[in-house]
Amino acid sequence: MKDVVITADSTCDLPPHIIEKNNIIITPLSVLLGDKSYLDGIDVFPDDIYKYVEKTGILPKTSAVTPAQYYEVFEKASQEGKAVVHIGLSSAISSSYQNACIAASEFDNIYCVDSKSLCTAMGLLVLKACDFRAKGFDAKKIANRVNSLVPKVSTTFVLDNLEYLHKGGRCSGVAKFSANVLGIKPSIAVDPKTGKLDVAKKYRGKMDVVYKQYINDSLKDINKIDTSRIVIANSGGISPDIISFAKGVIEGKANFGEIILADAKCTISSHCGPKTLAIFYIRK
């Protein structure tokens, strides 16, 4: 239905051509480098962040979308006679979702969904909303359907190191210490019930071997995966060979309708650092 607008935070990290094709309106979070503020994916990109951290040793801060910014987006749609389904970054990670709800409370036809997720795992929910819109569902039904999928999203990723997560306060010092001392490469998962991050698995060895183990582990229950879409996401610095390996494993396991290759934008890169690899999908 053309009278339903799908909006999402920039943290959904969907490739630009997919955003354009599906007419998704993106609300960017802010990234603070020193005393300057930039808009995620508009005037700051992951390379800028990595250079800044390398130069200063200081992690950038990220800042939620304000209620006023959401209000502007929702008001425009409302004035055009359209309803909105907004899918936000996990409320356990950012106050963006709560801010969207504050803005939405001023309107009758705005529905906010807490993805309890991040990056392109959240993007998969955004694309499901677009699928439901294409079927002619109204905004309320779309929001309800997407909400029912939230617990089924598999959000895991494997990190080259814990430096960024630790500096950003997302991981305990003990976990960082043990990982650094023992050469452990952690796989982090987002709990679909709470939207919080936790260590799901610990790998050892060279990073390329770890990536391959993680890819195979992620796809071992292939019969339980919704094969309409799957995402291979990375935060930069991962070799094309590893991305090709992931794609090959996926294609060998099942006939997926769409394999999306996504680059993490600034908000995610700020918290995870470079060389982070993720396989995202929705369970049946």
Side-chain angles (χ1 to χ4, degrees):
M1 285 177 77
K2 286 184 178 168
D3 56 351
V4 178
V5 175
I6 307 295
T7 72
D9 298 332
S10 59
T11 45
C12 72
D13 290 352
L14 287 166
H17 71 277
I18 290 180
I19 289 168
E20 197 175 320
K21 180 184 166 190
N22 291 281
N23 295 315
I24 301 159
I25 293 174
I26 298 295
T27 47
L29 274 76
S30 296
V31 179
L32 307 168
L33 299 180
D35 56 1
K36 289 188 179 174
S37 179
Y38 302 90
L39 293 175
D40 183 10
I42 294 175
D43 52 14
V44 67
F45 300 91
D47 277 352
D48 303 318
I49 283 168
Y50 301 148
K51 283 174 189 166
Y52 175 82
V53 174
E54 204 176 311
K55 187 178 170 184
T56 64
I58 301 165
L59 221 61
K61 289 186 170 67
T62 52
S63 159
V65 184
T66 65
Q69 287 169 301
Y70 284 122
Y71 186 90
E72 203 176 299
V73 173
F74 298 162
E75 185 182 40
K76 185 175 186 292
S78 212
Q79 285 173 347
E80 291 169 359
K82 296 175 180 178
V84 174
V85 177
H86 173 75
I87 294 146
L89 175 61
S90 170
S91 60
I93 294 170
S94 166
S95 58
S96 287
Y97 172 72
Q98 285 93 336
N99 290 349
C101 291
I102 291 165
S105 67
E106 303 288 324
F107 304 91
D108 296 328
N109 53 357
I110 314 290
Y111 299 87
C112 296
V113 177
D114 181 355
S115 71
K116 293 189 180 167
S117 191
L118 48 78
C119 199
T120 335
M122 168 188 162
L124 286 170
L125 292 173
V126 177
L127 292 176
K128 283 291 187 186
C130 295
D131 293 345
F132 297 141
R133 176 177 61 184
K135 288 180 179 175
F137 295 176
D138 64 22
K140 187 178 181 180
K141 191 172 182 181
I142 293 170
N144 287 341
R145 285 290 183 96
V146 174
N147 257 318
S148 71
L149 292 173
V150 167
K152 297 181 178 183
V153 179
S154 174
T155 308
T156 66
F157 47 95
V158 68
L159 297 158
D160 180 43
N161 69 76
L162 284 172
E163 201 62 39
Y164 278 66
L165 265 187
H166 176 66
K167 280 184 177 175
R170 308 278 177 185
C171 190
S172 76
V174 176
K176 174 179 179 278
F177 175 78
S178 63
N180 286 349
V181 171
L182 303 174
I184 290 168
K185 307 292 182 185
S187 165
I188 307 290
V190 179
D191 185 326
K193 290 177 185 167
T194 64
K196 290 180 179 176
L197 304 175
D198 204 359
V199 175
K201 197 157 188 174
K202 293 173 182 175
Y203 296 98
R204 293 176 190 269
K206 290 185 176 175
M207 206 57 218
D208 279 9
V209 174
V210 168
Y211 287 138
K212 289 177 179 179
Q213 284 180 319
Y214 162 75
I215 290 160
N216 282 313
D217 286 348
S218 299
L219 298 162
K220 68 181 177 199
D221 291 330
I222 196 72
N223 297 329
K224 296 177 182 175
I225 297 174
D226 169 356
T227 55
S228 58
R229 282 187 197 95
I230 193 166
V231 175
I232 305 165
N234 88 91
S235 65
I238 293 174
S239 77
D241 289 351
I242 293 297
I243 304 298
S244 295
F245 177 84
K247 199 162 179 280
V249 172
I250 288 167
E251 287 169 343
K253 292 267 188 185
N255 184 22
F256 281 84
E258 190 177 8
I259 299 172
I260 298 170
L261 301 179
D263 297 319
K265 292 195 184 74
C266 295
T267 306
I268 302 307
S269 299
S270 294
H271 295 301
C272 296
K275 297 186 180 178
T276 299
L277 177 71
I279 307 286
F280 299 132
Y281 51 81
I282 296 175
R283 296 184 194 87
K284 285 177 183 172

